[in-house]
Amino acid sequence: MSCSPRLRRRKVARLGIAMAACLFPMLGLAQVQSARAPAPVQEALQSAWQRYPGYRAAQAQLAAAQARRTAAGQPLYNPELEFAAEDEGPDRRATVGVDLTLDLSGKREARLEAADARLDLAVAEARVRERDFIRLWFTGWTAWLSARERLQTGEQRLALMTRFAELAEKQFDAGDISGLERDLAALARDEARSEQAQLIAEEAEAQARFRAVGGVPGQLDALALGVPPPPPMLADPPLPVGLPEWQVAQAAVEAAEGDVLVASRNRRPDPTVGVSGGRIDYGNVQDRIIGISVRIPLFVRNSYRAEVVAAQADVEAAAADAERIRLELAAGQQAAIESYRATQSAWASWQSSRGTEVSRREALLERLWREGELSTADYLLQIKQTLDTQLAGAELQARLWRSYVDYLAAVGQLTRWSGLEATP
């Protein structure tokens, strides 16, 4: 079957999208396209996605759209078989006939084209569902890693405060510090215990959220992610044509246009042709009869014009929504790039800070405290600041990777980076 002009235009549009996506390296994204998630991350994502209920839902939606497309390609009308018999006194008549409505207005082709557009829409929506899952999974994983690292820092803080409280008790017994300073050290230890309980609860909650998206805690324990690459310097934000949201918006416009075509073709009446044959008896005389009939519906009471007007309005609404999405995507791309760049800068500053070296600062502060050059209150204040900085660093690293994932999603490379580009 030859393609309609509208279908050819849609294929040309999809080719243009693919060509524009190939231009991404020319826009400064070659570094992003060459980057890939570590193989263990790709394997964990693939396994989690196939276990996730959203994967089965996406598969079912694609299967339903494919089945509707197959149904739309079937002949629109089935033949009708009619048997008739009459017995009026000495006259008897018996006939058999076949009626078939002919699709002369191209309704089947229009419905097939509309079903193709709906299938494209289902594919685009499945890609959005997959991309959103990748973000959920990675957000859950980084949040759990951050919570686990914060928990380890909390354990270090609790051990440090417990040891310091014991030293303060010995210093008090030796008369080197006052009872107030001893009590202050004990309060710091108790506070560390309370905060540690909170960190334990936060780690359990983060682990539960990670499990909810198919994550398996412990599967990637041996993996060291390191630091993601810095964002490339882009003169202009990349085109949104390769983003799944834009593909959904364009597919929705094309699906609405297909509905207009179907509604327009439905306004054209299709004739029904019938052929019948039989026998008629007039008393003792028998004769054969053959009949041909043509029936054409008259759309005089309902012209079905309102359906076309409604479908055209749906096209306008879908086009306006696509334009809104294009503007939002363009703005979101630049925001994601700037956010990632700012987070990268904050992470570099944090790594270069000597204040995050807890072991070195703890030894220095304890020596100054023992020598009397630092009061107990000042010691606790400075060691608390050091530990808080380390706790904030764990959250900053998680935020760095989240912003990197958001950046990849904004430039349409997240699915490829995660290794799931071949899965629906």
Side-chain angles (χ1 to χ4, degrees):
M1 183 180 63
S2 61
C3 294
S4 68
R6 191 183 301 267
L7 183 57
R8 287 195 294 270
R9 288 196 300 271
R10 186 162 65 244
K11 290 184 177 179
V12 170
R14 286 199 294 265
L15 178 60
I17 288 175
M19 293 177 63
C22 292
L23 294 177
F24 274 4
M26 299 175 62
L27 295 171
L29 295 175
Q31 181 184 16
V32 179
Q33 288 193 329
S34 63
R36 288 296 185 103
V41 173
Q42 296 186 32
E43 295 173 1
L45 265 172
Q46 178 76 33
S47 177
W49 172 233
Q50 293 182 354
R51 292 194 306 269
Y52 192 61
Y55 173 77
R56 297 195 299 272
Q59 292 291 323
Q61 289 177 352
L62 288 175
Q66 183 62 54
R68 294 189 184 97
R69 194 266 179 200
T70 302
Q74 299 297 319
L76 190 60
Y77 302 111
N78 284 309
E80 297 180 4
L81 185 63
E82 179 183 6
F83 294 94
E86 298 181 7
D87 189 354
E88 297 182 5
D91 298 339
R92 292 185 297 276
R93 180 193 301 263
T95 59
V96 59
V98 177
D99 295 342
L100 178 63
T101 302
L102 303 179
D103 181 16
L104 300 182
S105 58
K107 291 184 175 66
R108 176 184 177 184
E109 180 183 358
R111 296 187 181 192
L112 181 58
E113 184 174 338
D116 279 335
R118 294 291 176 184
L119 179 58
D120 292 343
L121 178 59
V123 171
E125 289 174 342
R127 288 172 180 166
V128 171
R129 187 189 295 267
E130 181 187 55
R131 195 279 317 276
D132 290 344
F133 169 78
I134 295 172
R135 296 178 75 169
L136 282 175
W137 185 92
F138 209 89
T139 298
W141 183 44
T142 54
W144 175 62
L145 290 180
S146 174
R148 189 178 64 175
E149 187 171 343
R150 288 168 60 85
L151 179 62
Q152 293 172 353
T153 301
E155 292 174 352
Q156 183 181 7
R157 174 178 58 187
L158 179 58
L160 183 61
M161 292 297 100
T162 300
R163 177 174 173 276
F164 181 71
E166 293 173 353
L167 289 176
E169 185 69 32
K170 294 179 181 179
Q171 292 286 84
F172 172 75
D173 293 340
D176 295 334
I177 62 173
S178 65
L180 181 61
E181 290 180 303
R182 179 200 59 183
D183 295 342
L184 187 59
L187 287 174
R189 178 197 57 201
D190 296 340
E191 181 183 9
R193 287 175 178 171
S194 176
E195 292 176 348
Q196 184 66 9
Q198 179 64 27
L199 291 176
I200 292 174
E202 291 176 358
E203 192 273 341
E205 292 174 359
Q207 185 178 134
R209 287 193 296 269
F210 183 45
R211 290 181 182 274
V213 291
V216 180
Q219 185 178 11
L220 302 172
D221 283 351
L223 178 65
L225 276 181
V227 180
M233 300 299 294
L234 301 178
D236 297 304
L239 299 175
V241 293
L243 301 182
E245 293 93 343
W246 175 250
Q247 294 174 355
V248 168
Q250 286 296 95
V253 173
E254 293 169 0
E257 291 175 348
D259 292 340
V260 172
L261 183 60
V262 170
S264 299
R265 298 290 174 84
N266 286 338
R267 296 191 66 206
R268 304 177 185 178
D270 290 329
T272 301
V273 178
V275 178
S276 62
R279 189 181 68 182
I280 184 171
D281 297 336
Y282 300 96
N284 295 327
V285 179
Q286 294 182 350
D287 198 2
R288 296 184 181 276
I289 58 174
I290 297 176
I292 298 177
S293 64
V294 178
R295 299 192 304 274
I296 300 178
L298 302 177
F299 295 160
V300 293
R301 301 187 63 190
N302 184 0
S303 65
Y304 300 99
R305 172 64 182 169
E307 285 81 352
V308 178
V309 174
Q312 290 173 340
D314 288 338
V315 172
E316 295 178 3
D321 196 47
E323 178 63 16
R324 174 188 61 81
I325 291 174
R326 185 189 67 81
L327 295 174
E328 291 179 352
L329 290 176
Q333 284 174 342
Q334 192 61 45
I337 294 172
E338 295 300 330
S339 176
Y340 181 38
R341 185 174 290 122
T343 310
Q344 270 275 2
S345 177
W347 174 253
S349 298
W350 185 90
Q351 281 191 312
S352 62
S353 174
R354 292 175 59 85
T356 59
E357 300 177 12
V358 178
S359 298
R360 184 188 65 82
R361 284 186 58 83
E362 187 273 332
L364 175 61
L365 292 173
E366 182 178 333
R367 180 175 61 81
L368 294 176
W369 175 72
R370 285 176 178 271
E371 294 174 357
E373 298 182 13
L374 197 66
S375 67
T376 301
D378 290 338
Y379 168 83
L380 292 175
L381 177 62
Q382 293 195 38
I383 201 66
K384 183 178 185 301
Q385 289 176 342
T386 301
L387 291 168
D388 287 345
T389 302
Q390 186 171 359
L391 289 170
E395 177 58 32
L396 179 60
Q397 186 177 22
R399 188 163 67 250
L400 174 64
W401 277 99
R402 287 196 299 268
S403 64
Y404 181 59
V405 170
D406 291 341
Y407 164 69
L408 291 174
V411 297
Q413 294 296 314
L414 179 58
T415 303
R416 182 181 184 278
W417 176 81
S418 65
L420 297 184
E421 70 273 15
T423 62

